[in-house]
Amino acid sequence: MTLLLLAGTAEAQQVARHLADEGRAAVASLAGATRAPRAIGLPMRIGGFGGDTGFLRYLAEAGITAVLDATHPFAARISERTARLCAAHDLPYCQLLRPEWGPGAEDRWTGIAAEEEAAAHIPEGATVFLATGRQGVSRFANLEGRRLICRVVDPPEAAFPMPNGTYIVGRPPFSVEDEIALFTRLCIDWLVVKNAGGAASESKLAAARALKLPVAMIARPPQPEAPCVATVAAAMEWVRAL
């Protein structure tokens, strides 16, 4: 068996370490959104596959016999394509999808279905921290009259796409104390977050709770109808059963 691990999450890094420790033949694939990614103990390929045809060609050329999809919960197009093509070609597929976050009694969350809906809830004059990544920043173009700050892992190659915004650079993990200090220094009024789930990036929500900041929580996109597990342990059980 040669496993293709679609990576890019903290859970994928844990799976990769387990696969390496057990001596299993596997390749980790990263989309390339982050420059100079950390080594995860497996051979890595970086970049897209080139659509359906390119993906199928890679599977054949690399001798892939199963796919474990541990991509980000918002990488919906990748997951949909992978599940669909694996099903069509009788290739074992499983998605590792961590549980969503849920609000506690002291949280001030407003659920939204898409980035564009944030403007209906965030008042003009607010300073907004976009914890949503660089790729979707242009979808907040209707947040005129607000100061926008987006944190990115790598120094940006282009200026912020709107005149009322700026990037700051930071590489996770971030402690709750670090997030509280950052939000306080930047005078943040609102936090916008994708409901990615997972403990690795939950510190920003704990900081918002401590500072009593309102949070616009973007709902996850639909996920493929395919075998799915919620934990690294369950993912490894699936791998061992192949």
Side-chain angles (χ1 to χ4, degrees), residues 76-208:
R77 287 184 295 179
I78 295 174
S79 294
E80 183 280 328
R81 178 193 67 190
T82 307
R84 172 171 49 82
L85 293 178
C86 286
H89 292 79
D90 199 26
L91 198 68
Y93 167 90
C94 183
Q95 183 183 27
L96 171 52
L97 184 66
R98 59 199 181 210
E100 295 180 317
W101 291 314
E106 298 181 2
D107 288 313
R108 300 173 59 195
W109 292 10
T110 298
I112 59 177
E115 288 85 343
E116 293 82 359
E117 294 183 13
H121 304 281
I122 300 175
E124 291 193 12
T127 296
V128 184
F129 192 88
L130 303 176
T132 54
R134 181 182 67 253
Q135 293 181 329
V137 162
S138 61
R139 298 185 64 179
F140 295 102
N142 62 351
L143 280 173
E144 304 100 336
R146 294 85 162 173
R147 177 184 173 223
L148 308 180
I149 301 171
C150 178
R151 181 165 58 198
V152 294
V153 173
D154 297 310
E157 297 178 346
F160 202 91
M162 291 88 78
N164 59 324
T166 187
Y167 292 114
I168 62 171
V169 178
R171 184 177 285 268
F174 307 104
S175 69
V176 176
E177 293 74 21
D178 288 342
E179 298 289 62
I180 289 175
L182 178 66
F183 295 166
T184 301
R185 176 170 59 84
L186 296 175
C187 300
I188 299 301
D189 299 306
W190 271 80
L191 177 65
V192 182
V193 179
K194 292 179 176 179
N195 197 335
S201 57
E202 197 171 8
S203 57
K204 57 182 171 284
L205 297 177

Side-chain angles (χ1 to χ4, degrees), residues 210-229:
L211 295 171
K212 295 180 169 53
L213 295 179
V215 176
M217 183 63 69
I218 304 173
R220 288 182 180 181
Q223 303 297 323
E225 294 184 7
C228 182
V229 295

